Amino acid sequence: MITIKNFAFPKSLEEAYRVLNEKRNNVILGGCAFLRMTSKRIETAIDLSKLDLSHINENDETIEIGSMTTFREIETNPILNKYFNGVLPKSVENIVGVQLRNIVTVGGTVHSKYGFSDFITALLSLNAEVTLYKQGTVHLKEYLEQDTKKDIVISISIPKTNRKAAFQMMRNSRSDYAILNVAVSNEDNDWNIVVGARPQRAKIAKEASKYISQSDKSIEEVEKAALMASEELDFGDNMRASKEYREEICKVLVKRAIMEVL
Ligand SMILES: Cc1cc2nc3c(=O)[nH]c(=O)nc-3n(C[C@H](O)[C@H](O)[C@H](O)COP(=O)(O)OP(=O)(O)OC[C@H]3O[C@@H](n4cnc5c(N)ncnc54)[C@H](O)[C@@H]3O)c2cc1C
């Protein structure tokens, strides 16, 4: 059970960042779905709900998602259902149930860089960028590789293009974490093949993505790209699946996702 000594409701991001860094055990609150499962002793819990960070907007070039946006909003938003074949709504629609999706946030998810995350896998396939208060804007790909520092995720930005995308995952049971998730996208023969829950963090299969971009997309080439993805990425064991099983599942899900995009 978490213990919270004080609550702060900052009126600006500047104030939120200052309070966050005042003490080691001051933390930002997202939807608290994960935080409340820990036994953290929080000195000051920082609630961002007064900072207008819950929104999904489009402009000429990008789609912007505020960090306090919930997964239920991602799932039901018309803009996100219109672009990229609805890959972002599809990536979250199987996460536990509506009650959980009504509270979990984009910021809590992206900041935590969970290996099992379905949403991060889909975001990575769309060349998303993350904007943080201190660090500024950084490609999600780079952000996932960095050590996590005390900072505030403000928003996610996705290039608004005609990119086609597909999301595939496999779970042992409906409300469990995925044993593997895959997102594939393509725009003008620029393909991204992303595999997450390996169980490590989502990663782009660079060689497989390059191969499929340059191929004629025959069924043999699609199968070869799927095999290449399973060979170039690392997989591991956990209580849900073995490394070898994940490698096999990777070939199947990558093939299905490429076929879906085609
Ligand atoms: C029972 C359960 C099952 C789940 N199953 C799945 C699943 O199958 N697939 C899946 O993809 N996900 C799953 N999740 C994870 C979920 O989707 C969220 O990713 C997770 O709960 C974190 O979101 P949150 O808003 O609850 O963050 P919180 O619990 O509030 O915060 C998590 C961490 O992020 C920090 N934080 C929060 N917001 C910000 C911010 N804006 N800037 C900086 N730091 C911030 C907090 O300080 C904390 O350290 C599950 C979660 C639970 C509780």
Side-chain angles (χ1 to χ4, degrees), residues 14-36:
E14 187 187 7
E15 185 187 346
Y17 184 75
R18 183 176 45 73
V19 177
L20 178 64
N21 285 286
E22 270 169 9
K23 286 217 168 128
R24 199 179 47 85
N25 52 349
N26 288 0
V27 299
I28 301 285
L29 304 178
C32 292
F34 246 46
L35 262 179
R36 79 177 70 182

Side-chain angles (χ1 to χ4, degrees), residues 136-179:
T137 301
V138 57
H139 281 286
L140 176 64
K141 185 164 137 287
E142 288 161 35
Y143 182 64
L144 293 175
E145 285 164 8
Q146 294 170 355
D147 292 336
T148 302
K149 299 193 185 82
K150 263 200 164 188
D151 205 340
I152 302 172
V153 176
I154 301 174
S155 62
I156 306 297
S157 169
I158 304 163
K160 199 172 84 174
T161 61
N162 287 323
R163 194 163 269 280
K164 300 278 172 256
F167 180 79
Q168 293 279 331
M169 55 77 196
M170 181 162 163
R171 285 170 152 75
N172 286 330
S173 65
R174 203 182 154 84
S175 59
D176 201 1
Y177 297 113
I179 62 165

Side-chain angles (χ1 to χ4, degrees), residues 27-37 40 48 67-68 71 94-96 100 103-109 111-112 114 116-119 151-154 171 175-178:
V27 299
I28 301 285
L29 304 178
C32 292
F34 246 46
L35 262 179
R36 79 177 70 182
M37 287 165 64
K40 274 192 177 158
L48 303 180
S67 64
M68 287 297 279
F71 277 11
N94 284 296
I95 298 175
V96 188
L100 185 93
I103 62 166
V104 301
T105 62
V106 165
T109 301
H111 170 83
S112 303
Y114 301 116
F116 58 75
S117 176
D118 298 301
F119 183 62
D151 205 340
I152 302 172
V153 176
I154 301 174
R171 285 170 152 75
S175 59
D176 201 1
Y177 297 113

Side-chain angles (χ1 to χ4, degrees), residues 2 18 34 41 51 70 72-73 92 96-97 99 111 160 163 172 200 208 232:
I2 49 168
R18 183 176 45 73
F34 246 46
R41 289 176 165 273
L51 298 183
T70 67
R72 184 64 179 159
E73 287 161 333
V92 300
V96 188
Q99 286 162 318
H111 170 83
K160 199 172 84 174
R163 194 163 269 280
N172 286 330
Q200 300 96 319
E232 72 173 284

